[in-house]
Amino acid sequence: MAITMNPARLTGIGIVVLLVAWAILAGALEPILSYRDDIVYLARQHMFLVLTSGGAAILVGVPVGIWLSRPSMERYAEGIMQVFNIGTTIPTLAVVALSMTLLGIGFPPAFFGLFVASLLPIVRNTYAGLLAVPPHLKEAATGMGMTQGQILRRVELPNALYVIFSGIRTALAINVGTTPLAFLIGGGGLGELIFTGIDLMDTGMLLAGALPTALLAVIVDFLMGQAQLHLIPKGVNPLR
Amino acid sequence: MIRLEKLTKTFDTPNGTVVAADKVDMEVPSGEICILLGPSGCGKTTALKMINRLIPPTSGKIFINEEDTSKQDDIQLRRNIGYVIQQIGLFPNMTIEENICVVPKLLGWDTKKAKTRAAELLDLVGLDSRQFLQRYPKELSGGQQQRVGVIRALAADPPVMLMDEPFGAIDPINREVIQDEFLKMQAELKKTIMFVSHDIDEAVKMGDKIAIFRAGKIEQYDSPDNLLAHPANPFVADFVGADRTLKRLRLVTAEEVVNADAPAVARSTGAGDVARRLASEGERIAVVIDGDHRPVGYVTADEIAGSTGDVGDLAHPLPASVPMRADLRAVVSEMFAHDIMWLACTNDEGRFVGVITQPAVTAALRATYTAPAAGAA
Ligand SMILES: Nc1ncnc2c1ncn2[C@@H]1O[C@H](COP(=O)(O)OP(=O)(O)O)[C@@H](O)[C@H]1O
Ligand SMILES: [Mg+2]
């Protein structure tokens, strides 16, 4: 079934606000700011990973979901989805580790691991969303003389858009949450500050990585929520 | 014109072969509504969907205006046939305007022309276009959605329409209203329509012809009146119901049985004059009318015999009157309600046009019984 994101946005914002407040009160702001240059450099690397792997997952996941939902695939689609579902149960850390064994260290395995971890919800929601479009809508469209392509573009996709969007939102949340692990396989990013901070028991360094990471997660989810609210047409948007 | 020739469809299912259409032969003349009527699962929808090729026939042929549809491109064929489904099927992602413009757009109409057409059609079914064009289907009531479903099928002005229980999803009161609206539209548009229903009352009301289906076969294909007066076999008789004669009352309007020669006299006429006129015409009752020709009362020959003065002062009030456009069911209902044998009948302006008597009603029903059953199998 389709995954719908639990709108934990407010809680997320609350936690970040508390963290920042605590950091200031505990006098941790000074040490954090001393890593300013590292933060800027690593955050760029971090966001590059998120954008490329997330973007690739969308570009691949949506078409795969569409392809699986076509009547010609009916016989195999459920089986393939079963495999995908089993894939989702593998912890993302394991996915990242496995991709290192395949691709070595550096950007490629990090990109690939994040890509795979975000791909599943997108495929699954695209597939489920398209299958959930009421058959009588497709029948009406066919009976009115639309071609298969027109039915997909004008009827099926718009009516599945909300569910597909929920899948993308979930995927990006997973992606942003997993990206710190990229450091472990040489992919860089804010994970470098976090994990090194843990190793050195340096709270300032740890927070210099953790706070921007948390902030990024909240911002991404907020933007996705806004996009879901405003980009999906009113007629098929349960939020409006 | 739609013609089906030996149209057959079999489905292979795990439980064996289902024959959904069995050598169906029928012809719907241009401009007429043909109702496919029968119990659930008898193959009505299958027959309909073979016409726009949503279901490919197993064998047999379909002609639309003498053209074999199997030789046409499916997509082009469908764009030239209006299609209304029971679930209405408005696209939730499109506004009402976009929904109505779907087929015109597919046919490559210019956007402005399509939009003008959408507004026109909405106004035609009594929905204010300024208010509704930009709404989404979920912002409409069931009855409003149903109307939009019908006009969407009419948008590109197709000569042929297929309607699968189009008014099935609404409450009985709204259904009657939409049926009346649709008949009014059809009187002008003269589309050739294949209309699926499982409701005999709807069929009798909407159909020029009715085809009764059982297990993929046509049991009888006839005019509503012949079907009710002369059911071809016990299955049809059972399906149309034991009250089929009462149903026929709905097929005849008051106008068709009214006696326009019934005596009508002004209020100021003298009783003696009226008595003499009734005697010479062999009538027992005269309806008294006012200056606007509206019926206001009546006098009987017996009561005014020997009276003097104006009939306006002697008249009894009329217990009831019916409009000319009412069907005989309404007429009989009024007669029974007031325990009377006759009624005054009025036109749209309320002017008196004549009198309807119970014997005239029975005579009208008898006429088709004694007439040769044209076309009955
Ligand atoms: N796709 C199908 N596969 C198998 N059997 C079908 C299919 N469509 C219809 N039928 C069968 O054909 C018969 C006629 O169905 P249908 O035309 O839908 O009936 P109606 O519209 O009169 O209720 C039924 O027995 C139904 O079960
Ligand atoms: Mg049906």
Side-chain angles (χ1 to χ4, degrees):
Chain A
M1 271 295 95
I3 313 160
T4 345
M5 178 76 182
N6 180 11
R9 204 183 310 146
L10 277 180
T11 329
I13 292 172
I15 289 173
V16 172
V17 169
L18 283 178
L19 276 175
V20 173
W22 172 77
I24 294 168
L25 287 180
L29 206 55
E30 192 102 345
I32 292 175
L33 286 179
S34 69
Y35 291 102
R36 196 186 301 134
D37 291 346
D38 289 329
I39 293 175
V40 170
Y41 175 76
L42 292 172
R44 269 212 198 126
Q45 220 174 27
H46 195 97
M47 288 201 282
F48 183 72
L49 261 178
V50 169
L51 290 179
T52 50
S53 62
I58 294 171
L59 290 180
V60 172
V62 173
V64 168
I66 293 173
W67 175 65
L68 288 174
S69 73
R70 296 304 86 192
S72 56
M73 287 300 294
E74 200 179 347
R75 247 184 310 157
Y76 319 102
E78 276 307 322
I80 297 174
M81 285 315 297
Q82 285 306 324
V83 175
F84 272 43
N85 282 339
I86 292 168
T88 351
T89 62
I90 302 174
T92 43
L93 181 58
V95 174
V96 171
L98 285 172
S99 83
M100 185 180 83
T101 62
L102 282 175
L103 296 169
I105 58 167
F107 176 79
F111 168 86
F112 185 73
L114 291 173
F115 165 77
V116 171
S118 353
L119 189 62
L120 305 184
I122 298 178
V123 173
R124 194 156 62 164
N125 273 38
T126 304
Y127 172 76
L130 287 170
L131 283 200
V133 175
H136 69 257
L137 291 185
K138 289 179 246 181
E139 195 204 296
T142 316
M144 293 167 83
M146 286 196 199
T147 61
Q148 287 306 312
Q150 286 165 336
I151 295 173
L152 177 64
R153 272 178 282 121
R154 298 189 194 173
V155 178
E156 291 184 87
L157 282 175
N159 282 289
L161 200 57
Y162 186 80
V163 179
I164 297 176
F165 227 93
S166 299
I168 294 177
R169 194 170 167 186
T170 307
L172 289 186
I174 293 173
N175 188 305
V176 172
T178 312
T179 305
L181 301 179
F183 161 71
L184 300 177
I185 54 171
L190 291 163
E192 191 170 326
L193 290 172
I194 300 175
F195 286 106
T196 316
I198 293 173
D199 279 350
L200 300 178
M201 304 250 283
D202 180 340
T203 316
M205 190 187 230
L206 174 82
L207 285 175
L211 280 180
T213 306
L215 200 63
L216 183 66
V218 171
I219 290 173
V220 166
D221 191 56
F222 176 76
L223 290 179
M224 286 305 291
Q226 288 303 305
Q228 196 165 21
L229 178 63
H230 295 293
L231 292 185
I232 296 177
K234 193 174 168 199
V236 286
N237 194 336
L239 299 177
R240 342 193 226 161
Chain B
M1 189 210 59
I2 307 171
R3 190 168 76 246
L4 313 182
E5 280 182 9
K6 300 216 167 34
L7 193 61
T8 300
K9 178 69 193 183
T10 56
F11 291 107
D12 290 317
T13 67
N15 309 322
T17 306
V18 177
V19 183
D22 192 357
K23 301 203 191 71
V24 173
D25 279 308
M26 67 187 294
E27 186 174 319
V28 186
S30 294
E32 293 201 350
I33 302 181
C34 166
I35 314 280
L36 308 185
L37 182 66
S40 179
C42 67
K44 310 177 295 285
T45 296
T46 306
L48 197 76
K49 285 188 186 171
M50 283 193 281
I51 297 174
N52 62 5
R53 302 190 66 79
L54 286 177
I55 298 179
T58 307
S59 66
K61 284 199 183 311
I62 298 162
F63 296 88
I64 293 181
N65 296 330
E66 300 301 345
E67 250 191 275
D68 185 344
T69 57
S70 66
K71 303 217 159 61
Q72 286 169 272
D73 172 52
D74 286 2
I75 300 286
Q76 284 309 320
L77 177 78
R78 291 178 189 141
R79 290 178 185 175
N80 290 301
I81 296 178
Y83 185 45
V84 187
I85 60 174
Q86 177 172 3
Q87 303 89 335
I88 309 176
L90 296 183
F91 303 124
N93 55 306
M94 302 183 192
T95 60
I96 298 308
E97 181 174 56
E98 289 165 338
N99 264 289
I100 300 174
C101 291
V102 165
V103 179
K105 224 168 124 189
L106 290 171
L107 289 171
W109 284 25
D110 148 89
T111 313
K112 205 167 145 227
K113 183 179 163 199
K115 287 187 169 184
T116 314
R117 174 80 177 149
E120 228 173 69
L121 283 167
L122 268 180
D123 290 328
L124 190 67
V125 292
L127 298 176
D128 180 6
S129 55
R130 276 165 310 177
Q131 202 182 350
F132 285 96
L133 278 173
Q134 298 313 321
R135 287 208 197 167
Y136 284 91
K138 69 177 178 189
E139 297 167 319
L140 266 59
S141 74
Q144 292 167 338
Q145 290 186 22
Q146 201 100 48
R147 288 175 172 88
V148 175
V150 172
I151 58 175
R152 179 175 70 168
L154 282 168
D157 207 14
V160 168
M161 301 253 292
L162 306 177
M163 309 176 77
D164 195 348
E165 310 206 12
F167 310 135
I170 34 178
D171 61 280
I173 294 174
N174 256 308
R175 191 184 311 151
E176 289 268 343
V177 174
I178 294 191
Q179 285 168 343
D180 290 334
E181 273 176 19
F182 186 74
L183 284 176
K184 222 184 272 172
M185 267 169 29
Q186 165 67 358
E188 287 189 16
L189 300 175
K190 302 254 187 308
K191 304 289 179 194
T192 309
I193 299 172
M194 199 75 123
F195 186 116
V196 168
S197 177
H198 62 261
D199 174 6
I200 172 75
D201 290 312
E202 178 172 71
V204 167
K205 178 171 182 179
M206 307 291 290
D208 294 301
K209 283 254 186 81
I210 299 175
I212 302 242
F213 273 70
R214 170 164 65 160
K217 278 199 171 74
I218 294 190
E219 292 285 321
Q220 185 170 358
Y221 183 40
D222 225 327
S223 70
D225 198 48
N226 258 330
L227 197 79
L228 293 171
H230 308 280
N233 57 42
F235 173 80
V236 176
D238 192 47
F239 193 81
V240 298
D243 60 341
R244 58 195 167 87
T245 302
L246 289 181
K247 291 192 169 105
R248 293 183 55 223
L249 290 171
R250 300 194 66 171
L251 294 170
V252 188
T253 58
E255 192 174 8
E256 296 169 61
V257 296
V258 73
N259 173 15
D261 296 331
V265 293
R267 274 201 278 225
S268 56
T269 323
D273 292 342
V274 175
R276 270 189 299 283
R277 177 169 167 200
L278 287 178
S280 75
E281 291 178 16
E283 295 279 358
R284 285 183 40 245
I285 291 170
V287 172
V288 179
I289 55 179
D290 66 9
D292 293 327
H293 221 265
R294 277 194 288 261
V296 289
Y298 71 95
V299 290
T300 66
D302 296 343
E303 282 168 2
I304 57 171
S307 307
T308 54
D310 295 348
V311 284
D313 302 326
L314 299 168
H316 301 282
L318 280 173
S321 67
V322 289
M324 217 159 62
R325 274 186 296 138
D327 62 33
L328 289 193
R329 196 175 72 151
V331 170
V332 169
S333 169
E334 282 291 315
M335 287 178 177
F336 286 177
H338 298 283
D339 192 19
I340 46 180
M341 290 295 285
W342 65 274
L343 276 173
C345 181
T346 56
N347 67 9
D348 287 344
E349 288 89 51
R351 292 160 73 91
F352 176 74
V353 290
V355 158
I356 299 177
T357 62
Q358 272 194 27
V361 172
T362 12
L365 291 183
R366 196 168 51 233
T368 35
Y369 280 121
T370 46

